[in-house]
Amino acid sequence: RSEQPVVPVARLAGVTREQFLRDIYPRRKPVVLKGMELGTCITKWTVDYLSQAEGSKEVKIHVSAVPQMDFLSKNFVYRTLPFDVFVRRAAEVKHKEYFLSEDEKYYLRSVAEDARKDIADIRKQFPILADDVQIPEYFEKEQFFSSVFRISSAGLQLWTHYDVMDNFLIQVTGKKRVILYSPRDAPYLYLSGTKSEVLDVDNPDLEKYPLFVKAKRYQCLLEAGDVLFIPALWFHNVLSEEFGVALNVFWKHLPAESYDKSDTYGNKDPTAASRAIQILDRALKTLEELPEEYRDFYARRMVLRIQEKAYRNDYG
């Protein structure tokens, strides 16, 4: 196992909207909220109820022959199944009918009918189930971005990534282990876009990823009825310890105009950040006009300048 320092995520019960906005939200750290009023979904959402409530509407799902899904190498396939068939299969450990193997894993991340134009919203995609849920609206109505319905097979692990919006991960049924890393530890996570290349966070290849041990690992176990607040830019890796149903609610932390208007998944960097990265890429291209020793010197000066002008000094 990696020798990373492990920090348990704080767990708080009975937190009101006012307390959350005053005491928790400004700190920009993950926290598990317990005992929140989430509606009848907590008791109603059995496999039988789910499969009959939304019937045989077609859903697009991820199917993986291995438990650790990797979005960089795309070690899974997309398939379509009627929702009731999918739910029953996802709840099984061994399958009589399958696409890749009898112990394949399933994952649903709900999308809009036209995912290129519209956002995921449980009220539109799964209206019957949406009636069973009371979403904790600890944000202003105009900040709301999306509500993403998720179902995972037991044992499925999602890659480490960050989102650009704040969100609540509402665990309705089943258990999930969530590992999180601070945005400040990005240098140790071997990023490719929004995703980490380190797939196995429990047994990382330290020859390939030697700096990974420096990242501080925050960890929690979510049980049915728990709500995890994940601030924007915090990396998270999710392992479904049991078949489970969850709902993510994303909202905008920054002013609406800060975000890319064409972003229906909520995973494109804020427009100012995207512009800055493009400018940096052009600057690095310009440095290539110099010999190596000069390039090295001016690159180090640029890094110092970025640290001096843009790094925060008050991280706790």
Short mmCIF file of all heavy atoms in Angstrom, two decimals, residues 25 143 164 251-259 270:
data_model
loop_
_atom_site.label_atom_id
_atom_site.label_comp_id
_atom_site.label_asym_id
_atom_site.label_seq_id
_atom_site.Cartn_x
_atom_site.Cartn_y
_atom_site.Cartn_z
N TYR A 25 -18.99 25.64 4.12
CA TYR A 25 -18.76 25.99 2.71
C TYR A 25 -17.54 26.88 2.50
O TYR A 25 -16.73 26.60 1.60
CB TYR A 25 -20.03 26.65 2.16
CG TYR A 25 -20.09 26.72 0.66
CD1 TYR A 25 -19.95 25.57 -0.11
CD2 TYR A 25 -20.30 27.93 0.00
CE1 TYR A 25 -20.01 25.62 -1.49
CE2 TYR A 25 -20.38 27.99 -1.38
CZ TYR A 25 -20.23 26.85 -2.12
OH TYR A 25 -20.28 26.90 -3.49
N GLN A 143 -27.77 28.85 -9.07
CA GLN A 143 -26.45 28.21 -9.10
C GLN A 143 -26.52 26.76 -9.57
O GLN A 143 -25.51 26.18 -9.95
CB GLN A 143 -25.81 28.24 -7.70
CG GLN A 143 -25.34 29.59 -7.22
CD GLN A 143 -24.78 29.47 -5.81
OE1 GLN A 143 -25.52 29.39 -4.83
NE2 GLN A 143 -23.48 29.42 -5.70
N VAL A 164 -15.14 20.76 -11.96
CA VAL A 164 -14.93 22.20 -11.83
C VAL A 164 -16.07 22.89 -11.07
O VAL A 164 -16.05 24.10 -10.90
CB VAL A 164 -14.73 22.89 -13.21
CG1 VAL A 164 -13.50 22.34 -13.90
CG2 VAL A 164 -15.96 22.78 -14.08
N TRP A 251 -23.36 22.35 -8.52
CA TRP A 251 -23.77 23.75 -8.62
C TRP A 251 -22.55 24.64 -8.84
O TRP A 251 -21.42 24.24 -8.57
CB TRP A 251 -24.59 24.19 -7.40
CG TRP A 251 -23.86 24.30 -6.11
CD1 TRP A 251 -23.26 25.42 -5.61
CD2 TRP A 251 -23.66 23.28 -5.11
NE1 TRP A 251 -22.71 25.17 -4.37
CE2 TRP A 251 -22.94 23.86 -4.04
CE3 TRP A 251 -24.04 21.93 -5.03
CZ2 TRP A 251 -22.58 23.14 -2.90
CZ3 TRP A 251 -23.67 21.21 -3.90
CH2 TRP A 251 -22.96 21.81 -2.87
N LYS A 252 -22.82 25.86 -9.33
CA LYS A 252 -21.74 26.78 -9.71
C LYS A 252 -21.26 27.57 -8.50
O LYS A 252 -22.04 28.27 -7.87
CB LYS A 252 -22.25 27.74 -10.79
CG LYS A 252 -22.63 27.03 -12.08
CD LYS A 252 -23.41 27.93 -13.02
CE LYS A 252 -23.85 27.15 -14.25
NZ LYS A 252 -24.83 27.86 -15.05
N HIS A 253 -19.99 27.46 -8.24
CA HIS A 253 -19.37 28.19 -7.14
C HIS A 253 -18.97 29.59 -7.62
O HIS A 253 -19.06 30.57 -6.89
CB HIS A 253 -18.14 27.39 -6.65
CG HIS A 253 -17.30 28.09 -5.65
ND1 HIS A 253 -15.93 28.21 -5.75
CD2 HIS A 253 -17.62 28.73 -4.50
CE1 HIS A 253 -15.47 28.88 -4.72
NE2 HIS A 253 -16.45 29.20 -3.94
N LEU A 254 -18.54 29.66 -8.88
CA LEU A 254 -18.13 30.94 -9.48
C LEU A 254 -19.32 31.59 -10.18
O LEU A 254 -20.34 30.93 -10.43
CB LEU A 254 -17.02 30.70 -10.51
CG LEU A 254 -15.77 29.95 -10.03
CD1 LEU A 254 -14.82 29.71 -11.19
CD2 LEU A 254 -15.06 30.74 -8.93
N PRO A 255 -19.23 32.86 -10.56
CA PRO A 255 -20.30 33.47 -11.36
C PRO A 255 -20.53 32.68 -12.65
O PRO A 255 -19.57 32.12 -13.21
CB PRO A 255 -19.77 34.87 -11.67
CG PRO A 255 -18.75 35.14 -10.60
CD PRO A 255 -18.14 33.81 -10.26
N ALA A 256 -21.78 32.63 -13.11
CA ALA A 256 -22.16 31.80 -14.27
C ALA A 256 -21.28 32.06 -15.49
O ALA A 256 -20.93 31.13 -16.23
CB ALA A 256 -23.63 32.03 -14.61
N GLU A 257 -20.87 33.33 -15.69
CA GLU A 257 -20.10 33.66 -16.90
C GLU A 257 -18.67 33.10 -16.86
O GLU A 257 -17.95 33.14 -17.86
CB GLU A 257 -20.09 35.17 -17.16
CG GLU A 257 -19.48 36.02 -16.06
CD GLU A 257 -20.48 36.40 -14.96
OE1 GLU A 257 -21.58 35.80 -14.89
OE2 GLU A 257 -20.15 37.31 -14.17
N SER A 258 -18.25 32.57 -15.71
CA SER A 258 -16.89 32.00 -15.60
C SER A 258 -16.77 30.65 -16.30
O SER A 258 -15.67 30.18 -16.54
CB SER A 258 -16.51 31.81 -14.13
OG SER A 258 -16.64 33.01 -13.42
N TYR A 259 -17.92 30.01 -16.56
CA TYR A 259 -17.90 28.65 -17.09
C TYR A 259 -18.13 28.61 -18.60
O TYR A 259 -18.76 29.49 -19.16
CB TYR A 259 -18.97 27.80 -16.38
CG TYR A 259 -18.76 27.71 -14.89
CD1 TYR A 259 -19.46 28.55 -14.02
CD2 TYR A 259 -17.87 26.80 -14.35
CE1 TYR A 259 -19.27 28.48 -12.64
CE2 TYR A 259 -17.67 26.72 -12.97
CZ TYR A 259 -18.37 27.56 -12.12
OH TYR A 259 -18.17 27.49 -10.76
N PRO A 270 -12.77 26.43 -16.06
CA PRO A 270 -13.31 27.77 -16.26
C PRO A 270 -12.61 28.45 -17.44
O PRO A 270 -11.43 28.18 -17.70
CB PRO A 270 -13.00 28.48 -14.94
CG PRO A 270 -12.90 27.37 -13.94
CD PRO A 270 -12.33 26.20 -14.68
#
